[in-house]
Amino acid sequence: MKLWNSTLESGFILVGILNESGSPELLCATMAALYMLALISNGLLLLVIITDARLHMPMYLLLGQLSLMDLLFTSVVTPKAIIDFLCRENTITFEGCALQMFLALTLGGAEDLLLAFMAYDRYVAICHPLKYMVLMRPKVCWLVVATSWILASLSALGHTTYTMHYPFCKAQEIRHLLCEIPPLLKLVCADTSRYELMVYVTGVTFLLLPLSAIFASYTLILFTVLRMASNEGRKKALITCSSHLTVVGMFYGGATFMYVLPSSFHSPKQDNIISVFYTIVTPALNPLIYSLRNKEVMGALRKILGKHIFPTQSSR
């Protein structure tokens, strides 16, 4: 109990991937570059979707929310990791650790659910195009977005509260990039087997059920696309769906490894690499995957950049 009280006062030490890397300076520079890429690409995508009236459609509303989640998710983790490394100060308070865990779980859970809703959006657009504006009207879209945020935040609040109520009477070093459930439970000196089972069940519910819905949606989409008479329509549908499936694979792969696989499959080094992938790499690549292959987004982006970079020529 005494050590647990000292944890409340002094907090934890985040021994992340930068501290255990063979080339920490190079890795830090790479993380900083990826973070800047995530800020710029997600920020531009949000700006384009908000300002261009042609993109005020259900698919782009959901895509804008995905960019917002990615932007916030990487900002919860990356700046602190870089600043801690540069300042040689890796401590995080008990309250700060709890807040970081809550925000990371909320944003990760919301993105998980949103990707499933985005798959449903593509299913309706391709398989039932005549009903699209009815089934995916703005009211429905905002309800879907609100559901993602609310369910994720409630789940995150429950897990954060329960995880942080345990007595931490082992070493205060968290051998991980951020405060997450699996590495924190290794510091607990009480029996956590039942709670680990609950984390597993929640992981299956929040990850595998939406993933099953995504695969079901894309199976139906594939059957519809193969029956299309137009080669151009088939190509456009496949490009849109392949972009979404790429994002799904990157996000769900890392999250499933962290929260569904048993603890015996985990090691600090593997967990650190996976956490870097879904908290830093994926948010930087998502907007590029969606925008570079989307003619509407690229056209709107050129229009906005042309107005700001070449205001005289664009006004003529």
Side-chain angles (χ1 to χ4, degrees):
M1 185 62 70
K2 184 179 179 181
L3 289 174
W4 182 61
N5 288 336
S6 69
T7 301
L8 286 172
E9 296 171 4
S10 60
F12 300 97
I13 300 172
L14 284 172
V15 185
I17 192 169
L18 287 172
N19 302 89
E20 299 183 337
S21 170
S23 304
E25 291 81 8
L26 178 60
L27 183 57
C28 182
T30 304
M31 288 172 61
L34 286 171
Y35 180 60
M36 291 305 298
L37 177 61
L39 287 181
I40 294 170
S41 56
N42 283 293
L44 280 175
L45 189 55
L46 274 170
L47 178 65
V48 166
I49 291 172
I50 292 170
T51 57
D52 196 306
R54 293 172 299 175
L55 300 183
H56 293 174
M57 297 173 60
M59 181 179 80
Y60 296 109
L61 168 63
L62 298 178
L63 182 55
Q65 286 294 311
L66 180 66
S67 285
L68 177 62
M69 291 172 185
D70 280 337
L71 192 61
L72 295 174
F73 196 7
T74 191
S75 296
V76 167
V77 179
T78 314
K80 176 167 177 52
I82 294 172
I83 292 171
D84 283 355
F85 174 74
L86 295 176
C87 298
R88 309 295 178 185
E89 180 63 49
N90 298 331
T91 59
I92 184 170
T93 64
F94 184 89
E95 295 80 7
C97 186
L99 179 61
Q100 188 183 57
M101 181 191 295
F102 171 74
L103 293 175
L105 288 174
T106 297
L107 293 163
E111 183 167 336
D112 164 43
L113 295 173
L114 186 72
L115 287 172
F117 289 132
M118 290 176 74
Y120 173 74
D121 169 78
R122 291 300 83 206
Y123 160 74
V124 175
I126 294 171
C127 300
H128 303 283
L130 298 179
K131 298 180 181 178
Y132 182 67
M133 294 311 296
V134 176
L135 295 176
M136 294 301 296
R137 57 190 181 275
K139 193 174 182 180
V140 173
C141 289
W142 285 114
L143 180 62
V144 160
V145 169
T147 300
S148 299
W149 282 104
I150 292 170
L151 289 179
S153 60
L154 289 176
S155 174
L157 181 63
H159 277 299
T160 302
T161 304
Y162 204 84
T163 302
M164 302 308 284
H165 98 284
Y166 277 114
F168 297 97
C169 49
K170 295 184 180 179
Q172 292 174 296
E173 287 188 353
I174 302 174
R175 305 185 69 81
H176 200 55
L177 180 67
L178 70 155
C179 288
E180 278 194 285
I181 296 173
L184 267 172
L185 290 182
K186 293 177 182 178
L187 307 183
V188 174
C189 59
D191 180 22
T192 61
S193 56
R194 289 186 179 180
Y195 180 54
E196 286 181 37
L197 177 61
M198 188 171 74
V199 171
Y200 173 79
V201 171
T202 307
V204 170
T205 304
F206 257 82
L207 292 170
L208 297 190
L209 287 183
L211 190 58
S212 300
I214 290 171
F215 279 127
S217 297
Y218 278 103
T219 300
L220 296 172
I221 287 171
L222 181 61
F223 288 142
T224 302
V225 168
L226 292 177
R227 291 198 300 265
M228 284 183 176
S230 168
N231 287 331
E232 186 178 345
R234 190 185 300 123
K235 183 180 178 182
K236 184 177 180 181
L238 288 174
I239 288 175
T240 303
C241 294
S242 63
S243 299
H244 186 224
L245 284 174
T246 303
V247 172
V248 166
M250 291 195 303
F251 178 82
Y252 279 91
T256 300
F257 182 90
M258 283 298 297
Y259 288 98
V260 175
L261 290 184
S263 57
S264 57
F265 286 83
H266 292 254
S267 71
K269 186 175 181 180
Q270 286 179 325
D271 288 355
N272 265 316
I273 293 172
I274 294 296
S275 65
V276 167
F277 193 77
Y278 67 79
T279 61
I280 300 174
V281 178
T282 302
L285 296 182
N286 279 356
L288 299 180
I289 292 170
Y290 274 110
S291 60
L292 291 179
R293 303 176 70 182
N294 189 300
K295 292 180 180 179
E296 289 82 4
V297 171
M298 291 304 296
L301 182 58
R302 290 191 194 99
K303 184 179 177 182
I304 289 176
L305 292 178
K307 283 183 178 180
H308 288 83
I309 299 175
F310 306 108
T312 305
Q313 289 90 328
S314 61
S315 62
R316 290 175 182 176

